[in-house]
Amino acid sequence: DGRVRVWQCPGGGLQGANAEYELCLGSPVTCVSILFNEPDAEEEVGREGDSGGEEGDDAGEGWVAAGSREGEIFIWRLEGGRFSLSQQIPAHRRQVNCLEFSPSGNQVLTGGSDFSLQLFDLGTGTPVFRKDMGEEITSLCWDGGVALVGGGRGTLQLWNLLAGSRLWAEKVHEGRISALTVLENGRGAVSGGEDRRVIVYKTAVSL
């Protein structure tokens, strides 16, 4: 429906959750990513007893990115309890299938149906890395340096984006890789594919 909703989940669950923010693209949404920084504890203490601020001013700082069917990416910034659209970037020639922020929030990595993997500097809105991967990019995970990328023909690739070099590649599924996740410590990964298989990996490179 062309909308992105950001939910607040009390008690760690979705039951009773409210859509706190609603962001509009005007185009079907194909993927989303969120990065959120909690308010600094010292700043919170400083706000105690201050009733002059607007409600939501202590919501912290964050960013939401969304990809569209038309190949654009939209970046919203949360500041002062409000989201505002900060950038709209024509990133891909076809649908954006996956995207993820760097931990710093200064960059976003995107993969599309046009076979390209692209890294954008959000300070300038321009790509700092672009690579034709030879197949549709369907899923990705990255830590700001190393990226694990899943493809439409079942190929899993590991890239060092700081050096612009591929570390490893192998066809692991028959058909597209439809899901990909990495353990929090970066020492393991899991992929799922249209071949009805789920594969668990041990990674030699921290991700």
Side-chain angles (χ1 to χ4, degrees), residues 92-133:
H92 293 268
R93 295 187 301 274
R94 296 174 61 193
Q95 175 173 300
V96 183
N97 292 324
C98 46
L99 50 76
E100 191 167 327
F101 283 110
S102 64
S104 67
N106 294 327
Q107 297 177 317
V108 65
L109 182 66
T110 69
S113 293
D114 59 358
F115 293 9
S116 71
L117 180 72
Q118 298 193 64
L119 178 61
F120 288 89
D121 181 335
L122 296 180
T124 61
T126 58
V128 295
F129 174 86
R130 185 185 188 280
K131 183 70 176 179
D132 187 323
M133 306 294 277

Side-chain angles (χ1 to χ4, degrees), residues 125-174:
T126 58
V128 295
F129 174 86
R130 185 185 188 280
K131 183 70 176 179
D132 187 323
M133 306 294 277
E135 61 186 292
E136 184 179 4
I137 307 303
T138 57
S139 53
L140 61 85
C141 297
W142 83 306
D143 62 359
V146 178
L148 193 63
V149 182
R153 297 174 185 166
T155 306
L156 189 61
Q157 303 187 47
L158 188 65
W159 279 80
N160 182 338
L161 296 182
L162 299 177
S165 60
R166 188 172 68 180
L167 304 175
W168 173 83
E170 186 175 334
K171 183 177 174 63
V172 296
H173 288 275
E174 296 298 327

